[in-house]
């Protein structure tokens, strides 16, 4: 094939694919700025005649979106901080410390990756109910405080730390905790960023477990608030789109700002290692 | 401090969380599935009875379970290959030396992956609207009559499949792109000298070299797609005529709408067994292929 035609074809297809990938997101933003029922016209309008923030005002004043946004932020930040700490410590132990039964326990962790989380959901609900963790933040946070995938990711990365470095510190009389906090943690910074973004995104986007464990609206996260809004106000397209924008924009912005770390983690968790 | 002791101190917090909040519930799910745990047992545990495999037996005689399984299998069998093909095409385009602005295209194509399922499902539900939806508007432009995407039982699942492919293809695209970049350029160089066409190069170099990654990505996608739930929950609410009730949707309804937790656990466990068997078969098949 003529290289110029090939070049035009390849870039043309990429542009076409990009339009398909981005169009629903751009359209969501556009409709969110339309006046009520403006989107239900024929032909469907692509851009608002007069952009307005009315829908956002409605969302936060009347539909309680501010509460959902706060809940989502709180839950996602707490999960990220706690699980980061626990997964990093465990991943480091698997990678660099020697102890009896290490391989067996690690195999068990890997085995957990094959079990769908939904299998655990029904008994987990029954377990959390008597200890008062149903319908509050704790019910969402506690089971997410550690993850087999996170531990695996940290272990893969931490294996690259040279043993000599740790041995030298031990000979100098440093305690294990000091070695971890002063030598290991700084070296693990890149994977910490990766895992933090990954965990935050997963927690923010999670739907099924919060839907089960949160029974009252006051603790709803954004996806739950949006889903219940969508059931009540199905006709109110402009309001729904504004809700979707509020739900999607924080994670999209986080990804755009730190995409290098996110994609690195995606590859580390699958291809490499 | 003893080294053994230190190691367990580092491990203990995560191990306790995973043990108590994952491993124990998974074992509990099996035990639960052998009981008739329902609303009465929820009120008073004395009403709980052991029914052995009664729940499983009852499920196998329930048309709705078979329907949900069929919908899920339909989704997996159509959406997985479609997703993989789109991912591979996108990765090949991005990998081409002729492609311009690669970082931009890569980011744009990946963007749907990081979005929240519920939020974009709300968007797509409106795009699929029979009257005002842009999907039908575009189809009308090429002379296709309006399709009642979400109101017609035959079209609801295809609509969800299109949505899922749009949402997820970028994930595999990134992994496959890394796989393509790992193939040594010399192979293509040698093939070109031997006069191999682009298609021949793809068929005899790219595909075989990419096979292990394709298999891994395939297994991950299959197990992910078996867990179909949020999409039908938001887009179609299981309808129309229960045509988009997936296995997990049935589990959710059975467990948290009707409070038949024993029966719901049996559904969860059956899904787990099915997923396990399917992925094990794929692994086995993959190994045989690579040995042959």
């Amino acid at each position: 094939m003529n290289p110029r035609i090939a070049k035009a074809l390849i870039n043309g297809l990429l542009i076409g694919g990009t339009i398909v990938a981005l169009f629903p997101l751009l359209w969501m933003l556009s409709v969110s700025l339309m006046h009520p029922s403006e989107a239900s016209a024929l032909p469907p309008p692509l851009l608002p005649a007069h952009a307005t923030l009315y829908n956002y005002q409605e969302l936060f004043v009347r539909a309680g979106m501010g509460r959902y946004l706060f809940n989502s932020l709180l839950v996602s930040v707490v999960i990220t901080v706690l699980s980061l700490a626990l997964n990093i410590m465990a991943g480091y132990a698997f990678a660099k410390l020697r102890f009896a039964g290490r391989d067996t326990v690690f195999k068990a962790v890997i085995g957990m990756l094959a079990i769908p989380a939904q299998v655990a959901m029904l008994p987990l609900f029954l377990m959390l109910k008597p200890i008062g963790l149903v319908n509050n933040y704790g019910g969402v946070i506690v089971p997410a405080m550690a993850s087999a995938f996170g531990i695996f990711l940290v272990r893969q990365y931490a294996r690259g730390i040279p043993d000599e470095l740790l041995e030298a510190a031990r000979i100098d009389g440093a305690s294990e905790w000091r070695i971890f906090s002063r030598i290991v943690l700084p070296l693990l910074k890149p994977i910490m960023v990766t895992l933090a973004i990954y965990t935050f995104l997963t927690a923010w986007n999670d739907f099924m477990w919060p839907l089960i464990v949160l029974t009252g609206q006051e603790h709803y996260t954004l996806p739950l608030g949006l889903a219940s809004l969508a059931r009540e106000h199905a006709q109110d397209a402009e309001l729904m789109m504004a809700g979707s924008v509020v739900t999607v924009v924080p994670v999209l912005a986080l990804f755009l700002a730190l995409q290098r770390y996110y994609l690195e983690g995606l590859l580390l968790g699958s291809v490499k290692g | 401090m003893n080294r053994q002791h230190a190691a367990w101190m580092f491990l203990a917090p995560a191990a306790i969380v995973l043990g108590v909040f994952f491993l124990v519930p998974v074992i509990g799910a099996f035990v639960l599935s052998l009981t008739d745990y329902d609303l009465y047992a929820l009120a008073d545990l004395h009403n709980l009875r052991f029914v052995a495999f009664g729940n499983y037996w009852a499920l196998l005689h329930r048309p709705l379970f078979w329907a949900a399984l069929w919908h899920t299998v339909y989704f997996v069998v159509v959406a997985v290959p479609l997703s993989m093909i789109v991912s591979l095409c996108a990765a090949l385009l991005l990998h081409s030396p002729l492609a311009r602005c690669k970082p931009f295209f890569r980011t744009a194509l990946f963007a749907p992956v990081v979005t929240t399922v519920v939020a974009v499902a709300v968007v797509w539900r409106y795009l699929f609207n029979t009257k005002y939806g842009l999907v039908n508007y575009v189809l009308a432009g090429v002379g296709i009559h309006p399709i009642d995407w979400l109101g017609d039982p035959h079209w609801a699942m295809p609509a969800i499949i299109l949505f899922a492919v749009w949402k997820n293809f970028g994930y595999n695209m990134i992994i496959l792109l890394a796989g393509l970049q790992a193939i040594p350029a010399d192979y293509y160089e040698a093939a070109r000298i031997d006069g191999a066409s682009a298609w021949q190069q793809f068929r005899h170099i790219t595909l075989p070299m990419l096979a292990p990654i394709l298999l891994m990505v395939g297994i991950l996608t299959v197990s992910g797609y078996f867990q179909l739930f949020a999409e039908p929950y938001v887009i179609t609410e299981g309808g129309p005529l229960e045509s988009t009730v997936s296995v997990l949707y049935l589990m959710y309804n059975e467990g948290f709408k009707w409070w038949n937790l024993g029966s719901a656990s049996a559904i969860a466990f059956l899904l787990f067994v099915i997923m396990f068997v399917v992925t094990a078969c794929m692994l086995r098949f993959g190994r045989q292929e690579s040995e042959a």
Side-chain angles (χ1 to χ4, degrees):
Chain A
M1 202 192 299
N2 183 326
R4 279 177 65 181
I5 298 176
K7 191 171 178 179
L9 188 68
I10 284 170
N11 288 291
L13 285 170
L14 280 171
I15 291 168
T18 299
I19 291 171
V20 174
L22 293 187
F23 179 77
L25 301 175
L26 296 172
W27 181 78
M28 161 185 87
L29 186 64
S30 169
V31 175
S32 79
L33 299 171
M34 290 182 189
H35 285 282
S37 75
E38 192 179 335
S40 315
L42 289 172
L46 287 182
L47 290 170
H50 304 281
T52 170
L53 290 175
Y54 172 80
N55 299 305
Y56 291 93
Q57 204 182 333
E58 278 291 293
L59 271 183
F60 284 94
V61 176
R62 291 237 323 267
M65 206 66 169
R67 186 70 208 240
Y68 305 149
L69 182 63
F70 170 80
N71 291 343
S72 267
L73 273 173
L74 179 84
V75 165
S76 307
V77 168
V78 174
I79 288 177
T80 304
V81 171
L82 289 177
S83 83
L84 200 60
L86 266 56
N87 289 338
I88 294 256
M89 287 199 303
Y92 163 67
F94 279 126
K96 285 287 147 193
L97 299 175
R98 244 160 255 131
F99 55 93
R102 180 173 78 169
D103 294 344
T104 318
V105 182
F106 187 67
K107 269 187 196 138
V109 171
I110 294 295
M112 286 184 208
L113 286 172
I115 306 174
Q118 293 88 351
V119 175
M121 283 178 183
L122 296 137
L124 195 55
F125 178 84
L126 292 177
M127 277 169 63
L128 296 184
K129 206 169 152 56
I131 53 174
L133 285 179
V134 163
N135 199 27
N136 59 41
Y137 301 121
V140 185
I141 293 167
V142 163
M145 287 192 310
S147 81
F149 176 74
I151 295 172
F152 174 72
L153 205 63
V154 175
R155 177 202 179 247
Q156 295 305 92
Y157 193 88
R159 291 210 302 178
I161 299 175
D163 281 322
E164 294 80 9
L165 207 62
L166 308 178
E167 282 310 322
R170 282 193 189 106
I171 291 165
D172 287 346
S175 71
E176 289 296 330
W177 181 254
R178 201 179 159 81
I179 293 172
F180 176 72
S181 59
R182 291 296 166 84
I183 301 173
V184 175
L185 272 190
L187 290 172
L188 291 182
K189 227 176 235 163
I191 196 71
M192 283 168 75
V193 179
T194 298
L195 191 55
I197 309 167
Y198 204 90
T199 311
F200 186 88
L201 253 64
T202 309
W204 186 278
N205 291 339
D206 195 13
F207 180 62
M208 194 172 182
W209 176 243
L211 181 70
I212 289 170
V213 82
L214 299 176
T215 45
Q217 296 216 337
E218 69 276 18
H219 293 103
Y220 272 11
T221 54
L222 280 171
L224 298 192
L226 190 60
S228 83
L229 219 61
R231 291 196 162 194
E232 289 162 24
H233 302 261
Q235 301 311 314
D236 223 342
E238 299 78 15
L239 192 70
M240 291 298 95
M241 294 312 139
S244 297
V245 170
V246 174
T247 309
V248 161
V249 160
V251 277
L252 215 49
L254 186 73
F255 165 70
L256 287 177
L258 298 164
Q259 58 167 310
R260 190 165 64 86
Y261 295 96
Y262 182 85
L263 295 177
E264 181 64 23
L266 193 157
L267 294 174
L268 195 66
S270 53
V271 190
K272 298 178 188 172
Chain B
M1 187 167 43
N2 181 320
R3 291 267 291 275
Q4 285 266 343
H5 192 71
W8 280 104
M9 294 298 281
F10 281 109
L11 200 57
I16 291 170
V17 170
L18 283 179
V20 174
F21 299 108
F22 191 70
L23 224 47
V24 169
V26 166
I27 296 162
F30 182 66
V31 177
L32 196 59
S33 75
L34 304 177
T35 71
D36 69 343
Y37 207 118
D38 57 12
L39 203 54
Y40 301 105
L42 206 58
D44 183 356
L45 262 183
H46 289 105
N47 294 321
L48 187 67
R49 281 181 315 145
F50 179 77
V51 297
F53 288 96
N55 287 323
Y56 294 91
W57 189 243
L59 275 179
L60 298 181
H61 288 91
R62 245 178 93 182
L64 189 56
F65 173 74
W66 288 106
L69 187 59
W70 161 241
H71 301 149
T72 310
V73 169
Y74 174 26
F75 177 73
V76 170
V77 168
V78 179
V80 171
L82 203 58
S83 252
M84 299 276 293
I85 290 168
V86 174
S87 304
L88 183 59
C89 289
L92 286 169
L93 286 172
L94 277 179
H95 184 59
S96 162
L98 298 174
R100 309 278 301 271
C101 313
K102 285 183 190 184
F104 166 75
F105 284 128
R106 195 189 61 185
T107 305
L109 293 173
F110 189 79
V113 175
V114 291
T115 59
T116 313
V117 178
V118 173
V120 285
V122 165
V123 175
W124 276 85
R125 194 174 74 168
Y126 207 79
L127 290 174
F128 280 127
N129 187 303
T130 315
K131 200 165 165 203
Y132 306 111
L134 278 155
V135 174
N136 274 347
Y137 185 72
V138 171
L139 290 179
V142 289
I144 296 173
H145 286 293
I147 295 171
D148 188 6
W149 289 101
L150 306 177
D152 182 338
H154 296 290
W155 285 109
M157 196 50 102
I160 288 180
I161 289 171
L162 285 177
F163 167 72
V165 171
W166 171 83
K167 170 88 175 70
N168 299 317
F169 83 93
Y171 192 90
N172 290 340
M173 174 190 81
I174 294 291
I175 298 175
L176 292 172
L177 184 59
L180 287 173
Q181 283 161 353
I183 302 175
D186 319 1
Y187 292 8
Y188 294 105
E189 196 64 40
R192 254 195 302 276
I193 292 166
D194 290 344
S197 67
W199 170 250
Q200 283 172 325
Q201 289 178 33
F202 174 74
R203 177 76 188 76
H204 296 289
I205 302 173
T206 312
L207 268 188
M209 292 293 287
L210 215 53
I213 293 179
L214 276 170
L215 175 68
M216 184 209 69
V217 161
I219 290 174
L220 286 177
T221 312
V222 165
S223 59
Y225 278 17
F226 263 116
Q227 298 171 38
L228 178 68
F229 174 72
E231 295 86 344
Y233 185 92
V234 177
I235 299 183
T236 56
E237 301 180 22
L241 297 174
E242 295 176 330
S243 62
T244 54
V245 171
S246 65
V247 175
L248 277 184
Y249 198 97
L250 182 66
M251 181 204 97
Y252 175 82
N253 270 352
E254 192 73 10
F256 297 102
K257 201 166 163 192
W258 312 115
W259 297 103
N260 293 322
L261 292 155
S263 166
S265 289
I267 296 174
F269 235 85
L270 277 178
L271 179 69
F272 175 33
V273 170
I274 293 166
M275 282 171 62
F276 190 84
V277 170
V278 169
T279 47
C281 286
M282 286 177 76
L283 258 179
R284 185 125 194 211
F285 176 76
R287 284 215 190 97
Q288 272 173 0
E289 283 286 291
S290 65
E291 276 163 19

